[in-house]
Amino acid sequence: MATERTTPMFDRRAREHLFARRILVLDGPLDDDNGTLLLTQMLTLAAEDARADIALWIHSPGGSVPSMLAIRDVMNLIPCEVATLALGLACSAGQFLLSSGTPGRRYAMPHARVLMHQGSAGIGGSAVEVEVQAHDLRHTVETVLGLIAADTGQPYERVYEDSLHDRWFTAPQALEYGFVDHVVESFDQVIPQRHRFGLTPAGWGRLPGDDGPGADGDA
């Protein structure tokens, strides 16, 4: 039986268009591949302009813990402010990256949902291997929950208890818990500011060299 193939609407060209405006998007599960892409894109944008903001838009069911920790490290390393936005879903690793944004610059759309949990990891092998894996898992869980506690301002003990089972948050609840700083009310809140060119909000969409139609020979 033939299988229909659909062309993804959010393709490479759309991503490149947003990248040019300093907007990165985590859509779908976070894995080693798109995680590496996101962190290298952040480093590239920071090298291009250390003062201009970067936006990370999130619509994700979660994914790789090493990737999310690596992205967070880069977010803290670069001099740019990184504004995060939950578009629809910010689950697990998505929640972690959402709350890792620059304080005061973390947003959720009004009907976005946020999920926090500890996740899971398969442990197997010999008794010694199981012990080593269990120790590593404990270290990872303590590290992640400690960072979430620091980002949200919640006590570690509360974060630990709340993460033992799936804990869903509406946008207002995510705001109250400390995952985000604002529930989006206006368009201006989600567009990166381009300090370098001194543009007003009305000019944020313009790029260097955008002098109007036909500036580069285009129709």
Side-chain angles (χ1 to χ4, degrees):
M1 184 173 66
T3 302
E4 288 189 21
R5 293 186 178 181
T6 58
T7 302
M9 298 298 292
F10 192 45
D11 57 11
R12 178 177 176 180
R13 183 173 181 179
R15 295 177 191 277
E16 290 176 348
H17 183 75
L18 291 172
F19 178 76
R21 285 157 174 77
R22 303 182 70 84
I23 299 169
L24 309 179
V25 182
L26 170 59
D27 64 310
L30 175 66
D31 55 33
D32 293 338
D33 188 37
N34 60 12
T36 301
L37 176 62
L38 286 172
L39 65 86
T40 54
Q41 285 179 324
M42 285 185 187
L43 289 166
T44 300
L45 290 173
E48 176 187 280
D49 188 339
R51 294 183 297 168
D53 299 343
I54 296 172
L56 174 60
W57 293 354
I58 300 166
H59 182 59
S60 173
S64 168
V65 172
S67 290
M68 78 180 191
L69 288 171
I71 293 171
R72 180 196 171 89
D73 284 345
V74 170
M75 291 168 70
N76 289 330
L77 175 67
I78 60 178
C80 311
E81 291 193 353
V82 180
T84 53
L85 169 66
L87 293 172
L89 283 177
C91 302
S92 194
Q95 168 268 303
F96 182 84
L97 293 176
L98 174 65
S99 59
S100 295
T102 300
R105 305 295 307 279
R106 305 171 304 172
Y107 300 87
M109 296 296 281
H111 293 98
R113 301 293 301 278
V114 176
L115 170 67
M116 178 175 67
H117 66 186
Q118 290 189 15
S120 60
I123 295 180
S126 68
V128 173
E129 290 170 338
V130 167
E131 183 178 355
V132 171
Q133 293 172 50
H135 175 76
D136 183 66
L137 179 59
R138 282 194 299 271
H139 170 75
T140 299
V141 169
E142 290 173 359
T143 298
V144 170
L145 297 184
L147 292 171
I148 293 174
D151 290 339
T152 60
Q154 297 290 346
Y156 177 89
E157 294 74 16
R158 180 179 181 184
V159 173
Y160 177 83
E161 291 295 327
D162 290 341
S163 69
L164 289 175
H165 305 284
D166 286 0
R167 176 78 186 274
W168 286 94
F169 299 81
T170 63
Q173 289 169 341
L175 174 62
E176 181 180 2
Y177 201 86
F179 293 126
V180 298
D181 306 297
H182 311 279
V183 177
V184 173
E185 296 179 346
S186 68
F187 180 68
D188 291 348
Q189 291 177 299
V190 300
I191 299 300
Q193 299 181 30
R194 303 183 67 86
H195 301 296
R196 179 173 56 176
F197 304 104
L199 298 180
T200 62
W204 285 349
R206 292 173 60 84
L207 296 173
D210 280 353
D211 297 321
D216 296 317
D218 296 330

